[in-house]
Amino acid sequence: MGPPGAGKGTQAKVIAQRLAVPAVSTGDIFRVNVTQRTELGREAKRYMDAGDYVPDAITNAMVRARLAEPDAADGFLLDGYPRTVSQVEELDSMLAERGSGLDAVLLLTVDRDEVVERLARRARDEGRADDTVEVIGHRQDVYADQTAPLVEVYDGRGLLVRVDGMGPVDEVTSRVLRVLDQAGAAAS
Ligand code: AMP
């Protein structure tokens, strides 16, 4: 978890590789579908471009299908999911059905100015349609409104680990691996 621009996607790819599990990024899956002009992509695009969340029913079904793939059988790292209370409930039931649970929920903490600057840089480098100044601001608000409350939920379950997301990527990765190890969540 972490606000847009906290570095979730960047860290997810590195950490998943280190833990030898697939990184399941809902944002990436939506973007691939948009590029390939699938039905899902067409549906998701209008929400993404506006900086809004794709409806839970669509997102949950997509994650359910992805986690049923064989490479996720022994573990996975979720990036950008769950983002709403309803997604937490749906993930709980998916995990209960497979008789497993989350090892840890990682929260990347960053300061707002740094995040906005990172997003503006990414807009230039990657040309993402949802990285305009207006949409960046809206996405921060949506996160604060719908996703930030999930921090409490997972903290209450004793799963939350907070990691300082500021600084160079490899330093943040080292911090993440250290805390996951302490939380008993990292593969040895
Ligand atoms: P991200 O790359 O994680 O920032 O996601 C980009 C966009 O994809 C978000 O702004 C949402 O429109 C959509 N999205 C990604 N994950 C979710 C999710 N868990 N629930 C709803 N929408 C999502």
Side-chain angles (χ1 to χ4, degrees):
M1 294 183 64
K8 295 188 297 295
T10 304
Q11 292 300 329
K13 287 182 184 72
V14 186
I15 305 293
Q17 201 170 20
R18 294 287 280 270
L19 302 183
V21 294
V24 175
S25 160
T26 43
D28 282 353
I29 302 174
F30 282 133
R31 277 184 290 276
V32 167
N33 277 276
V34 169
T35 306
Q36 296 178 344
R37 296 172 195 271
T38 66
E39 185 60 42
L40 174 65
R42 264 195 295 277
E43 182 70 11
K45 188 177 183 333
R46 56 201 172 108
Y47 298 102
M48 296 171 75
D49 286 352
D52 288 322
Y53 287 166
V54 177
D56 288 329
I58 296 174
T59 307
N60 287 332
M62 185 179 84
V63 172
R64 183 177 279 279
R66 176 65 188 89
L67 295 187
E69 286 177 28
D71 65 332
D74 293 331
F76 47 81
L77 189 156
L78 291 167
D79 160 27
Y81 182 92
R83 265 170 145 119
T84 66
V85 171
S86 145
Q87 292 178 15
V88 169
E89 289 165 0
E90 186 66 15
L91 176 62
D92 284 344
S93 74
M94 286 182 227
L95 293 171
E97 283 165 29
R98 56 197 282 155
S100 64
L102 297 175
D103 293 313
V105 175
L106 186 68
L107 175 66
L108 287 177
T109 61
V110 282
D111 74 47
R112 197 185 160 108
D113 290 349
E114 167 83 15
V115 163
V116 171
E117 198 195 303
R118 277 187 194 180
L119 290 172
R121 209 180 308 136
R122 186 167 73 186
R124 284 196 303 273
D125 297 347
E126 296 178 19
R128 274 178 54 156
D130 57 354
D131 275 346
T132 63
V133 172
E134 298 78 32
V135 178
I136 287 171
H138 181 59
R139 289 170 66 221
Q140 298 290 334
D141 292 343
V142 171
Y143 176 85
D145 188 40
Q146 300 202 49
T147 307
L150 273 47
V151 170
E152 297 274 302
V153 173
Y154 285 119
D155 209 10
R157 296 185 190 184
L159 287 172
L160 194 81
V161 284
R162 289 182 173 79
V163 171
D164 178 6
M166 305 291 290
V169 170
D170 54 347
E171 272 178 33
V172 177
T173 303
S174 302
R175 282 178 214 142
V176 170
L177 289 172
R178 208 161 42 236
V179 295
L180 287 183
D181 202 29
Q182 282 161 5
S188 55

